[in-house]
Amino acid sequence: GSPDLEHYLRKLRERLGEVRLIVGLDGGAVNYDQLWSTASLRGLVDGRLKVATLQAGAHSGDVSGVVPSGFRILRRLLSRLEDPDTGEIFPDELKVDIPDQAKREAKSVAALLKNGFSEKFPLLDGVRPVTDDPEALLLNRGWRTQLTVIGFDGLPPTRGAGNVMWPEVRAGLSFRLPPTLDSGRAARFIRETLEKNPPYQAKVEFTVNEYADGWAAPQAEKLAGDLDEASRLFFGRKTMALAEGGSIPLMGLLQAMFPEAAFLITGVLGPQANPHGPDEFLHLPTVQRVTMAVAWVLGKFGNV
């Protein structure tokens, strides 16, 4: 996410010379039993949706049924993009054809998931995932656009809320995009879809804060062989590839700058790791094994 890193990479391009291997250590893992490599990363569009209907707040008993609720309008606008029952993002402009390789990887990973993703994420007891099909969950997370409302303004906390319809509401929206979708084009489509023909002629504005393309790892047979050997050496099991749900915009820049380089994106963000959460933790035995595996792969590349 650094706004400065690209500048320095380009300044140092000549000194960096021929780059044959790029290593990133912010990848995910489905379990702690083998070495995981990131096969792809999602792109993103981050923005704020504002809906305004009143010049000032008004008594809900006086105004409801006459003035449309900004919250209800916001719900309707989101339904232009997302099915409220399934969470599917349905416009074709926000979809891509999923590669066969990605489907094969999802099938292989799904075979390892005994309880879907229930072990990876801190679900409350009894709460079910979007679907019981682990293969579909993996493709949802890696190759299908998804929407998360990550913030909300305009309404007071419930403890101090009065009987008032507030003049405007604002929602922070995070769209995660398929790795190969053009994020700039997606951002324009999302803004146009949300802003056009607003219900009740309400004042609607979608402000794009950030957008970034996703990334799909280039195929490198030598690296694949080295990763599998390292995984068997330090974990006792074969390596696995995972379509990661997060975004690292830097990867696309590095691939464009160093098109001949192989990419090793791995990490230890496995079950219950909860990255960016208040109880984030590292599984230390896996940290040790991943460190040894990466060092071993670096040694193999250095001896070529």
Side-chain angles (χ1 to χ4, degrees):
S2 167
D4 306 312
L5 190 55
E6 179 177 358
H7 168 80
Y8 290 105
L9 282 172
R10 296 197 184 282
K11 284 283 187 180
L12 295 169
R13 179 66 183 87
E14 186 175 344
R15 287 180 59 186
L16 288 170
E18 180 189 355
V19 175
R20 293 189 293 113
L21 177 65
I22 294 172
V23 179
L25 298 174
D26 196 25
V30 169
N31 59 34
Y32 297 121
D33 299 327
Q34 53 217 126
L35 182 66
W36 289 87
S37 64
T38 297
S40 60
L41 294 156
R42 288 194 285 189
L44 65 91
V45 172
D46 182 274
R48 184 184 69 171
L49 176 61
K50 181 174 75 172
V51 177
T53 55
L54 291 165
Q55 297 181 25
H59 192 292
S60 63
D62 188 31
V63 75
S64 59
V66 178
V67 176
S69 161
F71 185 83
R72 178 164 64 86
I73 293 173
L74 188 144
R75 284 193 307 169
R76 283 185 59 183
L77 293 174
L78 294 183
S79 295
R80 293 177 173 182
L81 297 170
E82 179 191 55
D83 185 323
D85 293 322
T86 66
E88 178 189 359
I89 302 296
F90 48 78
D92 289 340
E93 290 83 353
L94 298 177
K95 295 180 179 180
V96 300
D97 292 330
I98 302 175
D100 291 339
Q101 175 69 19
K103 293 178 181 178
R104 289 192 293 269
E105 290 169 349
K107 191 175 189 67
S108 296
V109 175
L112 294 176
L113 299 175
K114 298 177 182 178
N115 300 309
F117 270 128
S118 61
E119 295 180 358
K120 182 171 174 57
F121 302 110
L123 287 171
L124 291 173
D125 289 343
V127 176
R128 299 176 61 184
V130 171
T131 173
D132 292 327
D133 181 353
E135 190 173 338
L137 290 175
L138 288 161
L139 293 174
N140 284 350
R141 182 172 173 266
W143 283 92
R144 297 183 179 121
T145 297
Q146 306 292 332
L147 167 62
T148 304
V149 177
I150 58 174
F152 206 91
D153 300 321
L155 299 177
T158 56
R159 185 171 58 182
N163 289 314
V164 175
M165 180 183 290
W166 289 89
E168 68 177 47
V169 291
R170 300 173 300 278
L173 307 181
S174 174
F175 293 87
R176 296 290 170 161
L177 309 176
T180 55
L181 188 67
D182 184 317
S183 62
R185 186 177 302 172
R188 290 189 294 273
F189 173 79
I190 290 168
R191 178 173 55 80
E192 292 168 1
T193 301
L194 292 174
E195 290 185 348
K196 69 181 178 183
N197 301 323
Y200 307 104
Q201 297 185 18
K203 307 306 178 185
V204 174
E205 181 182 1
F206 181 68
T207 303
V208 177
N209 298 327
E210 178 185 10
Y211 62 89
D213 289 342
W215 171 82
Q219 299 299 314
E221 292 185 8
K222 180 186 184 309
L223 179 61
D226 288 345
L227 288 179
D228 196 56
E229 194 172 348
S231 185
R232 295 180 187 277
L233 183 61
F234 296 105
F235 287 86
R237 292 191 180 185
K238 67 178 183 179
T239 188
M240 296 287 287
L242 179 66
E244 191 55 77
S247 305
I248 308 178
L250 174 63
M251 292 301 104
L253 169 65
L254 291 173
Q255 187 170 346
M257 290 186 66
F258 309 108
E260 302 301 319
F263 282 76
L264 167 53
I265 311 301
T266 187
V268 295
L269 301 179
Q272 306 300 317
N274 202 20
H276 301 311
D279 56 348
E280 178 177 351
F281 88 105
L282 297 177
H283 187 264
L284 293 181
T286 301
V287 172
Q288 291 177 317
R289 294 188 184 101
V290 168
T291 301
M292 291 187 289
V294 170
W296 187 87
V297 172
L298 286 172
K300 291 278 285 188
F301 262 76
N303 290 328
V304 172

